[in-house]
Amino acid sequence: MIKVNGREVLDPMKNKWVSQKVEKLKPSPIRKVFNKVAQLKSQGIEVIDFSIGRPFFDTPSTIKEETKRALDKGMVHYTGSTGILELRNAIVQRILIDKGVKYNPDEIIVTIGGTEGMFVAIQTLLSPGDEIIVPDPMYVYYKGWINYAGAECIPLPLKEEDFSLDIEELNKKINSSTKMILLNSPHNPTGSVLSRQNLEEIAKLSKKYDLFILSDEIYQRITYDNCEALSIASFPQMKERTVISDSFSKTYAMDGWRIGYLAAPREIINQIAKLHQHIISCSNTFAQIGAITALNQSQQCVEDIIAEFTRRRELMINYLREMKLPFVTPKGAFYVFPSIKEFSISSEEFANYLLEEARVAVVPGNAFGNSGEGYIRISFSPPYKEIESGLQRMEKAIRKLKKIKLIYDYLSKTKV
Ligand code: PLP
């Protein structure tokens, strides 16, 4: 974009053929870290990558085997656009168990992961001028998806002490343009989980002001210390004003399979289905077979993944405590979001310093919105041994940074 007479217009030299809508989309800042890591690795430099937002496990073999059989049987053609009925039935059963809400298979769309699901839901529900309130920090793509619909993303800063949602602040953000609230619990990047009380209060407000909820529940089953992540759709009269987005990416280590789903009341899902059909026709057929296997088999594989995440989380939080980096213990997902405010540098500078000095990659908190400034996101998904050596390297680099800061503070004081 360039400015002409104070107005932002397309740069005619650079972007002659590109629509304004797409030009305004920003690439994910996480991809920026990913590219830097790839560049270092290509130079033979070993980097420990804590910026990863995927499970560091293989997809369970039962799922892979059944999918291979589906390919051999010739399941290589289109399915109905909302997905194979057997899969939608299995999703209905799973939602009933995990979220306590009863859907019909015609209230489900099988999507290309949470990404496509959230995108089509947002484009279907929001119009230019509408406002949607989103807890800040927030997942990197939310704002871009909302702005693409022409709507306004209204950030709601989470409480610093525990990253919980402040109901009074939420209430203050609601006005006549507010149409929706976006929830993401367990939360990326902080690992916080919305409490029952919080959800009850949000439900009350959404009914009082007639607001719709988009609930991103991609990490719902990954929680710790007996914490339960509830779905807002399970609260009285909330199913009819909620669309749930969920995915196989995290729970079954199927992020590369690109498969997920939306659940919403029939009249809403029918509208979303039109856009979904225009964009993708249908989800990948043999990946849908894998997803059926994932849901219908014993769920021991999920328990195993969560048990291993629990072990890695323990290691991470013990180290962070030793490093004396302030953090809120994550109750869900596989990220921790420590504060680096004491160093008086930006989260981007801090992340760059860790990459240079310790060869450890983390995501700067500002990638997740203004409220993320002063924090870094560390994923505890990598293998145990890698977490251990990455944290040792981080600890050394942070000790060095603390010393530099002490000297700097001393020098600036003596100058005065
Ligand atoms: N929502 C959140 C909060 C996420 O963290 C992610 C991925 O990291 C997604 C949605 C999209 O995931 P996928 O498209 O792989 O299902």
Side-chain angles (χ1 to χ4, degrees), residues 20-35:
Q20 295 203 18
K21 255 177 131 175
V22 170
E23 216 231 351
K24 278 185 186 160
L25 282 177
K26 291 196 179 78
S28 158
I30 301 183
R31 286 276 147 189
K32 227 162 98 183
V33 180
F34 182 86
N35 292 341

Side-chain angles (χ1 to χ4, degrees), residues 6-23:
R7 262 187 65 223
E8 280 199 332
V9 294
L10 286 177
D11 177 343
M13 297 309 289
K14 268 171 78 185
N15 298 298
K16 186 173 166 190
W17 307 108
V18 178
S19 76
Q20 295 203 18
K21 255 177 131 175
V22 170
E23 216 231 351

Side-chain angles (χ1 to χ4, degrees), residues 157-275:
L158 293 175
K159 287 188 198 166
E160 281 208 40
E161 62 270 25
D162 58 358
F163 298 126
S164 65
L165 193 145
D166 189 326
I167 293 295
E168 268 179 41
E169 290 303 311
L170 171 62
N171 205 348
K172 281 188 210 157
K173 300 265 177 202
I174 299 172
N175 62 47
S176 57
S177 300
T178 312
K179 189 166 180 197
M180 288 176 73
I181 302 171
L182 195 160
L183 301 178
N184 170 218
S185 172
H187 185 241
N188 177 6
T190 68
S192 65
V193 172
L194 285 168
S195 66
R196 177 181 289 278
Q197 192 193 342
N198 251 186
L199 287 165
E200 268 164 8
E201 289 164 332
I202 297 166
K204 215 163 132 188
L205 281 179
S206 77
K207 284 183 269 186
K208 180 172 172 191
Y209 295 107
D210 195 20
L211 306 176
F212 210 80
I213 306 281
L214 173 54
S215 187
D216 183 348
E217 301 180 5
I218 190 167
Y219 296 101
Q220 195 203 8
R221 288 171 76 185
I222 306 172
T223 59
Y224 311 100
D225 301 336
N226 299 320
C227 172
E228 200 186 358
L230 302 168
S231 173
I232 190 141
S234 66
F235 288 75
Q237 294 103 45
M238 286 308 290
K239 183 195 158 188
E240 49 264 48
R241 54 176 69 248
T242 302
V243 51
I244 293 174
S245 172
D246 207 332
S247 158
F248 294 78
S249 293
K250 318 289 177 177
T251 319
Y252 297 96
M254 289 173 73
D255 44 289
W257 293 61
R258 311 310 301 129
I259 192 139
Y261 63 85
L262 289 173
R266 196 169 296 121
E267 59 281 15
I268 299 290
I269 215 82
N270 286 346
Q271 293 296 323
I272 301 175
K274 291 192 297 187
L275 183 58

Side-chain angles (χ1 to χ4, degrees), residues 50-114:
F50 289 148
S51 71
I52 295 280
R54 69 165 177 86
F56 238 87
F57 305 99
D58 194 5
T59 303
S61 57
T62 42
I63 299 173
K64 294 206 284 190
E65 288 311 317
E66 208 49 54
T67 307
K68 284 184 215 166
R69 265 194 286 278
L71 272 168
D72 289 341
K73 278 197 264 173
M75 299 198 71
V76 293
H77 302 293
Y78 298 128
T79 68
S81 76
T82 56
I84 298 173
L85 179 61
E86 192 187 348
L87 175 54
R88 285 183 287 126
N89 275 323
I91 290 169
V92 163
Q93 288 311 313
R94 197 66 242 167
I95 295 181
L96 193 58
I97 296 168
D98 293 338
K99 309 181 196 290
V101 196
K102 197 164 172 10
Y103 285 91
N104 282 313
D106 60 359
E107 294 175 308
I108 307 291
I109 302 176
V110 178
T111 61
I112 302 197

Side-chain angles (χ1 to χ4, degrees), residues 343-358:
F343 297 99
S344 314
I345 55 175
S346 72
S347 56
E348 222 165 319
E349 286 166 332
F350 192 90
N352 285 339
Y353 168 74
L354 283 186
L355 195 56
E356 287 292 317
E357 182 65 30

